[in-house]
Amino acid sequence: MNPFVFACMAPHGGEIIPELQGVYPERMSVTRESMKMLTTFMSKENPDCLIILTPHGTRIHGQFAITDSERMAGTVEENQASYAMERLVDRELARMINKCALEEGIPSATINFGTVAGPISCLPLDWGVIVPLRFMPDVPIVVINPARELSFDQHLEFGKALGKAVKQSQKRVGLIASCDWAHAHDEDGPYGFDPAAKAFDEQVVDLIKTNQLEKMAQFEEGFIEAAKPDGIWQTLILAGAIPAEERHVEFLSYEAPTYFGLICAAYYSKRK
């Protein structure tokens, strides 16, 4: 079954945040409007907690990293402006996720900083978390970093353990897969241009629309390296957490206004 009250795929380009859009508000306007829709969908479900899957947070080599600090705080800077955020962590849920993963033999660990508890127990919030959370309800969070050293199958299995933990928690939990896609759309971008970027994003859009997320595990390594996405790993966790037969997808938008692709999609239980 689908244990989440709502799940979504959301991008994390800094300019999506209205306060950081600068003098070109139209540049990510399509995505910004889609994020407002995801806000409405998530808020309607009144979650107790949000789980965010990010490629940019604190990583542990060869293990899934799950936040277990008292709180998290961070800042995103873009266009001579900044946006700061602080959130409490649902430590009970974080530890339950880790326990379920370890019981399945999946390499996983919780992480903390400073002190066991209290105001100094604070991990950094990265832009992969702050950008989508800017549009979401202010509730406790659990942030999870995938481990690219592990196989795609292990990401699917971790997703299954994640879903099991959420079901056991009996909490109203929302899930956000924070994903940007191919990063080689523009020769002036930091990764240059590669024609694989357009082809890759087209295939990703098709797999999302046809509810075949698991097939992203079949992308060839060379194709991935040429296109340079950062969304596959989080997507496969989402796919493991919500079985295909329980997923109903509403594809909201795709755009690549700069050097990387942006996708917004909503996932509901098919029973709704």
Side-chain angles (χ1 to χ4, degrees), residues 5-6 8 32-47 132 134-137 250 252 266 268:
V5 295
F6 180 69
C8 63
R32 201 174 296 118
E33 289 304 307
S34 293
M35 289 302 300
K36 292 176 183 177
M37 294 176 66
L38 292 179
T39 300
T40 301
F41 299 155
M42 185 72 83
S43 298
K44 181 181 177 182
E45 298 301 334
N46 193 29
R134 158 62 179 79
F135 298 86
M136 297 295 165
E250 181 177 351
L252 300 181
Y268 312 90

Side-chain angles (χ1 to χ4, degrees), residues 156-212:
L156 288 165
E157 290 302 312
F158 180 83
K160 293 177 183 178
L162 173 63
K164 178 181 177 181
V166 169
K167 182 180 178 182
Q168 290 180 359
S169 76
Q170 298 186 330
K171 296 182 179 183
R172 297 184 60 80
V173 180
L175 177 63
I176 302 169
S178 180
C179 306
D180 287 340
W181 294 96
H183 282 62
H185 285 281
D186 187 344
E187 63 182 11
D188 293 326
Y191 305 101
F193 173 79
D194 195 299
K198 183 176 185 293
F200 185 91
D201 281 3
E202 287 176 349
Q203 291 186 39
V204 166
V205 168
D206 182 65
L207 291 177
I208 294 170
K209 287 182 175 180
T210 57
N211 197 23
Q212 300 181 83

Side-chain angles (χ1 to χ4, degrees), residues 8-13 16 31 35 38 52-56 126-129 131-132 146 148 176-183 200-201 204 208 213 216 228-239 253-255 260-265 267:
C8 63
M9 182 181 294
H12 48 257
I16 300 168
T31 297
M35 289 302 300
L38 292 179
I52 306 95
L53 312 172
T54 175
H56 297 304
D126 67 272
W127 65 98
V129 176
V131 174
R148 297 191 184 186
I176 302 169
S178 180
C179 306
D180 287 340
W181 294 96
H183 282 62
F200 185 91
D201 281 3
V204 166
I208 294 170
L213 300 182
M216 291 192 196
K228 294 180 169 52
D230 72 10
I232 297 176
W233 299 266
Q234 302 86 266
T235 299
L236 291 176
I237 294 174
L238 184 153
S253 63
Y254 169 82
E255 64 174 341
F260 56 97
L262 308 171
I263 291 175
C264 291
Y267 289 91

